[in-house]
Amino acid sequence: MFDRSFGSLFWGKLLTVTGTLVQSIVAAIVVFEATDSALMVGLVSVFQFGPQLLLTPLAGKWADTYSAFKQVLAGRGLCFVGSVILAVWAYLVPDPDSGRDVVPVFFASCIIGLGFVVGGPVMQSMIPRMIRPGELSKAMALNSSPMTIGRVAGPAVGALLTVHFGAVAAFSVAVFTQLAFLILLFFIRFPAQPERLATTDYSVRAGLRHVWSDRTLLMLLAVTAALGFASEPSVTLAPPLADHVGGAARLVGELSSAFGLGALLGLVLLSPLGRWLSHAAITSLGIWIMAGGLVLSAVSTVAPMATASFAVAGFGFMAAFTAAATLIQERVPDVLRGRVMALWLIAFIGFRPIGAAIDGVLADVVSVEFAFAVSAALLALTGVWWRPGRATASVPDPAATPVGDSVVPGRA
């Protein structure tokens, strides 16, 4: 946490994740109040995370071949611009009351999403090159901490600022956090790119071929996609659930913060659990706990019950997510890390807009309870499909051998 490079990245991510979640929850509140539609709230996530589906594989190729510093700087710069647009819009349009009024929110969210595309894969892929041997498990836990802490602080701060000071103040806080991370980038000693080999295929296709050849890795990416899909209700469905149980804007922030508090507890307990259970077993356990939390959300009728359900879901999410991410990093050859982690980002973030759209439609057309139940059912199916024994397949040799235009992994 206090190493110049890893520590600067850690604190920078903590600031920017918190700021991003501040603006995400405030955008959800503002859009829902203006349109009274869960689908319109879901569109915020669609525009923010949609670019991941199309452009992240290309960014993964860049992560394996070009300057890490320039990519991270460009990505954070785009996020900063998107945050500024949101703050300016909130100042110019203080009382939006229609779908047309909130269109700039979708545009700004798309700019922020492009920032995630440009800088996301390289920030994930360079983690193993910034640490010493034997530190990967702890590094991955710390790498997940900013998201966890941000899930606690971001929604609470965003809702509090919106209620007492308005959306402009909340969006301005997000601008400050993005700017702070941009400054911290200049304190990081970015790891050197691996030597570019003439015999190695650096195409997106080579990354896809490797994932397809390692079925355990493919399953872990599918588990990550299910977790990303099932985590979206904590944002998209928080406003309609708060309305359903008789809450207001403050309860929206409390619900999302409860998800973050549960995730923080899951992160704290991950190391003790690791002494008794394998990462594969923790992944399975977390999936089932998260599914149980979503079922509890579906049957919630009062605010305390809804808040508790979000905490349970957050605990299961973080336990499964971090354990699965560690398993993925352990399996990936360094020469392919950027492209594989780009696919990991697609799995986690790229499927969130799909989840947001489905959640919004189901909540508007059927009910918010049914929308939670669908996410719970998906996770239950994932839990049945993923078993700890599936992770015992041979692990590709990290020193992958480049052959011709492809990478042929050795076998342990």
Side-chain angles (χ1 to χ4, degrees):
M1 289 172 63
F2 300 100
D3 175 78
R4 172 175 172 174
S5 295
F6 189 92
S8 296
L9 183 65
F10 169 84
W11 293 109
K13 287 182 66 176
L14 177 60
L15 285 169
T16 192
V17 168
T18 302
T20 299
L21 285 163
V22 165
Q23 65 192 19
S24 293
I25 203 67
V26 175
I29 291 171
V30 171
V31 170
F32 188 72
E33 289 180 344
T35 64
D36 198 32
S37 170
L39 176 59
M40 294 296 285
V41 175
L43 285 178
V44 177
S45 290
V46 170
F47 278 93
Q48 181 168 323
F49 299 116
Q52 316 282 341
L53 292 173
L54 298 176
L55 301 175
T56 298
L58 181 60
K61 175 183 176 180
W62 297 340
D64 284 332
T65 52
Y66 300 119
S67 166
F69 171 72
K70 291 180 180 178
Q71 290 179 66
V72 177
L73 183 65
R76 302 329 303 175
L78 285 168
C79 290
F80 173 72
V81 170
S83 297
V84 169
I85 292 173
L86 280 174
V88 172
W89 167 81
Y91 177 77
L92 296 177
V93 187
D95 297 305
D97 60 3
S98 68
R100 180 179 299 178
D101 287 347
V102 299
V103 167
V105 176
F106 302 144
F107 174 74
S109 297
C110 186
I111 297 296
I112 294 168
L114 288 172
F116 291 155
V117 168
V118 174
V122 71
M123 280 203 293
Q124 296 298 326
S125 65
M126 70 186 190
I127 296 297
R129 298 200 296 269
M130 299 177 73
I131 59 176
R132 293 168 294 190
E135 293 181 334
L136 181 60
S137 181
K138 291 181 174 62
M140 290 307 298
L142 278 175
N143 190 49
S144 300
S145 298
M147 180 178 66
T148 305
I149 298 170
R151 289 301 296 260
V152 178
V157 171
L160 186 66
L161 288 173
T162 303
V163 170
H164 292 286
F165 302 101
V168 176
F171 287 137
S172 296
V173 167
V175 171
F176 170 78
T177 61
Q178 302 289 3
L179 179 61
F181 193 12
L182 279 171
I183 295 172
L184 281 173
L185 290 181
F186 293 91
F187 291 89
I188 298 174
R189 294 188 182 98
F190 282 80
Q193 288 296 110
E195 182 182 357
R196 190 176 175 89
L197 303 174
T199 55
T200 299
D201 184 358
Y202 289 93
S203 68
V204 173
R205 182 182 60 185
L208 292 169
R209 187 162 53 238
H210 174 79
V211 170
W212 185 255
S213 69
D214 184 352
R215 294 308 170 91
T216 299
L217 180 56
L218 184 62
M219 286 190 293
L220 284 166
L221 291 176
V223 167
T224 302
L227 291 169
F229 183 98
S231 70
E232 185 56 34
S234 65
V235 176
T236 300
L237 298 181
L241 180 62
D243 184 65
H244 174 70
V245 299
R250 185 191 296 271
L251 181 58
V252 177
E254 291 174 357
L255 288 173
S256 290
S257 289
F259 187 94
L261 283 170
L264 181 60
L265 181 60
L267 192 63
V268 170
L269 294 180
L270 187 63
S271 182
L273 282 173
R275 298 171 188 169
W276 301 96
L277 300 172
S278 66
H279 282 110
I282 294 173
T283 300
S284 180
L285 177 65
I287 289 171
W288 285 108
I289 292 175
M290 187 180 184
L294 291 172
V295 170
L296 190 59
S297 297
V299 299
S300 293
T301 55
V302 294
M305 187 176 181
T307 304
S309 72
F310 269 51
V312 172
F315 177 91
F317 165 77
M318 184 50 63
F321 176 76
T322 304
T326 303
L327 287 171
I328 290 171
Q329 287 279 19
E330 289 174 347
R331 300 187 71 87
V332 180
D334 197 52
V335 71
L336 286 163
R337 198 174 299 277
R339 282 161 287 177
V340 173
M341 295 314 294
L343 295 174
W344 174 83
L345 278 173
I346 289 177
F348 174 54
I349 298 178
F351 279 86
R352 287 188 62 180
I354 298 174
I358 293 174
D359 289 338
V361 170
L362 292 177
D364 283 348
V365 175
V366 186
S367 68
V368 66
E369 300 97 319
F370 184 74
F372 275 110
V374 168
S375 292
L378 172 67
L379 267 188
L381 289 173
T382 304
V384 171
W385 176 64
W386 169 261
R387 296 186 299 275
R390 288 180 175 268
T392 60
S394 57
V395 180
D397 188 345
T401 304
V403 179
D405 65 345
S406 63
V407 175
V408 179
R411 293 296 172 185

